[in-house]
Amino acid sequence: MKLDILAFGAHPDDVELGCGGTIAKEIALGKKVGIIDLTRGELGTRGSVEIRNRESANAARILGISVRENLDMKDCFFVNDEVHQLQIVKMIRKYKPEIVLCNAVEDRHIDHGKGGSLVSDACFLSGLRRIETEVNGEKQEAWRPKLVYHYIQWVNIKPDFVVDISDYNDKRLEAILAYSSQFYNSESEEPVTVIATKNFKESLNYRAQDLGRLIGTDYAEGFTVERYLAVNSLSNLM
């Protein structure tokens, strides 16, 4: 299956939190989108692997993505080395996306910046034909995505561009809150974490509203780029 967009997240829920609205919008525009989770988030304070597996499947259904896979890397302990790079390369060559979305370039959780660098490096390596990979006994062809964008997570990084998601914010929130084990619930008896607070839950809206305010819309998501954005004319920036 060839995808238009392949989104990577270090943990289940990273993609939904960082670019769920953008993904919902692209799917509505007819694009095929997939998600690859690097880890199961098994070291997370709340929930469990089994619970998060169910939640990620539910979030995928809500967004309407074409495929979701998990690479079972070790939460917090995966590294940007050849073994892990080749795991990503295989996914890129398998789905041949034009665009790759990945974790923030830097963030509060150590896996986010690390995951972003790992995926970015693998996107380059995937285009080198002398790096040989195979899946299910079949040799893969080299493939390099045209574009690599990093979504924004905990840290308020200044975006290089923003996407209007006003018509898709409700679906974004539904997909995020499918991870009910991770977020604020006044009746939960699990330990409170930084993302399991009422403040964080409310921030899901007001951060998107603030980015939307900057471009004159209700809600938006921000991204950073690794190289200059190219446009055919000034009118493309409207």
Side-chain angles (χ1 to χ4, degrees):
M1 179 190 301
K2 185 185 184 313
L3 298 175
D4 299 297
I5 300 170
L6 188 56
F8 288 86
H11 314 104
D13 76 18
D14 281 358
V15 170
E16 289 85 353
L17 284 164
C19 58
T22 300
I23 285 176
K25 184 174 187 175
E26 293 295 334
I27 290 172
L29 292 172
K31 300 295 178 64
K32 290 184 177 180
V33 182
I35 295 177
I36 305 293
D37 301 308
L38 304 188
T39 78
R40 302 275 175 187
E42 64 271 17
L43 296 184
T45 302
R46 295 164 66 96
S48 66
V49 169
E50 293 75 22
I51 290 172
R52 297 190 77 172
N53 285 345
R54 292 195 297 271
E55 292 172 341
S56 63
N58 190 30
R61 179 190 58 77
I62 292 167
L63 289 176
I65 63 171
S66 298
V67 65
R68 185 170 206 153
E69 294 196 40
N70 195 299
L71 297 182
D72 286 308
M73 294 180 183
K74 293 183 67 175
D75 191 12
C76 293
F77 291 103
F78 70 84
V79 294
N80 187 355
D81 64 3
E82 180 180 357
V83 171
H84 293 83
Q85 289 164 355
L86 289 177
Q87 285 184 263
I88 306 293
V89 168
K90 289 179 180 180
M91 292 295 101
I92 294 169
R93 291 177 173 181
K94 179 178 180 180
Y95 293 112
K96 296 180 169 57
E98 304 297 326
I99 298 173
V100 162
L101 306 177
C102 56
N103 285 100
V105 292
E106 62 173 313
D107 211 41
R108 173 184 172 275
H109 195 298
I110 61 172
D111 280 355
H112 294 171
K114 187 168 51 174
S117 295
L118 170 60
V119 172
S120 177
D121 289 351
C123 285
F124 175 80
L125 295 173
S126 183
L128 301 179
R129 66 182 181 86
R130 294 189 185 278
I131 295 178
E132 297 183 359
T133 58
E134 62 178 49
V135 172
N136 297 326
E138 293 188 10
K139 186 176 179 180
Q140 294 182 301
E141 295 180 352
W143 180 271
R144 183 173 293 146
K146 292 183 174 66
L147 301 165
V148 179
Y149 299 138
H150 296 264
Y151 47 84
I152 294 171
Q153 299 184 259
W154 182 272
V155 175
N156 285 325
I157 298 172
K158 182 179 179 180
D160 293 316
F161 70 92
V162 295
V163 177
D164 176 14
I165 61 163
S166 300
D167 293 335
Y168 302 93
N169 190 57
D170 287 346
K171 187 175 287 290
R172 174 185 76 99
L173 290 175
E174 185 182 0
I176 291 171
L177 296 178
Y179 296 90
S180 58
S181 69
Q182 301 302 301
F183 302 115
Y184 175 74
N185 179 347
S186 60
E187 298 180 359
S188 175
E189 296 182 356
E190 291 203 79
V192 176
T193 68
V194 293
I195 67 170
T197 62
K198 187 177 181 181
N199 181 287
F200 182 81
K201 192 172 184 178
E202 292 175 348
S203 78
L204 297 177
N205 255 333
Y206 69 66
R207 291 184 73 189
Q209 286 176 318
D210 190 50
L211 284 174
R213 173 185 63 83
L214 296 175
I215 60 170
T217 67
D218 291 330
Y219 300 95
E221 288 175 331
F223 298 83
T224 61
V225 303
E226 298 182 0
R227 60 184 176 86
Y228 288 119
L229 289 171
V231 296
N232 291 324
S233 71
L234 293 178
S235 60
N236 290 138
L237 293 171
M238 297 174 63

